[in-house]
Amino acid sequence: MGTFDENNIEYQRARRQVERLRGFYGHVFAYIAVNALIVVYNCLHLKPGESYFQFKNFFTATFWGIGLAAHAITVFLPRVNFIRKWEDNKIKELMDKQKEH
């Protein structure tokens, strides 16, 4: 197994992708954990005969789920991600500035 050159642009891209994946998986874990607690709380506080299937019980999961889906798109669909292109251009710009000085 060889060593990695931390100045290598491919290494930097791979490292950023791993960081994005780690962030996304942390987001998924938080989503599942928090929404599981909300489900338990809501079930414990249902009135007799009240159905769990009401919009108020799915509000957090729905809107947070939309945010989670957007996060997934930025992590797993790199062609759609204009932010990644901006990052790459900014890195190149900063590296060029460092070479000048």
Side-chain angles (χ1 to χ4, degrees):
M1 193 177 246
T3 60
F4 295 107
D5 178 12
E6 292 188 9
N7 294 321
N8 182 321
I9 193 73
E10 292 302 319
Y11 171 80
Q12 292 297 329
R13 283 187 182 136
R15 184 179 174 98
R16 281 197 320 269
Q17 183 62 17
V18 168
E19 290 170 359
R20 285 183 187 97
L21 286 168
R22 185 180 60 215
F24 176 73
Y25 293 137
H27 192 176
V28 169
F29 175 78
Y31 176 84
I32 292 169
V34 169
N35 282 293
L37 290 172
I38 290 171
V39 167
V40 169
Y41 176 85
N42 288 339
C43 285
L44 292 174
H45 290 88
L46 284 175
K47 295 175 182 150
E50 184 179 21
S51 172
Y52 182 81
F53 297 100
Q54 302 171 51
F55 180 71
K56 68 178 184 174
N57 292 334
F58 296 96
F59 184 82
T60 302
T62 299
F63 289 101
W64 190 355
I66 291 168
L68 186 61
H71 192 173
I73 287 169
T74 64
V75 171
F76 295 109
L77 295 178
R79 288 182 212 104
V80 176
N81 190 359
F82 68 92
I83 294 171
R84 190 160 305 144
K85 289 179 185 176
W86 176 86
E87 286 177 345
D88 287 343
N89 290 335
K90 197 63 169 174
I91 289 169
K92 185 178 180 318
E93 176 187 324
L94 293 172
M95 289 175 68
D96 289 345
K97 280 184 182 180
Q98 286 178 351
K99 286 179 184 177
E100 290 174 7
H101 296 287

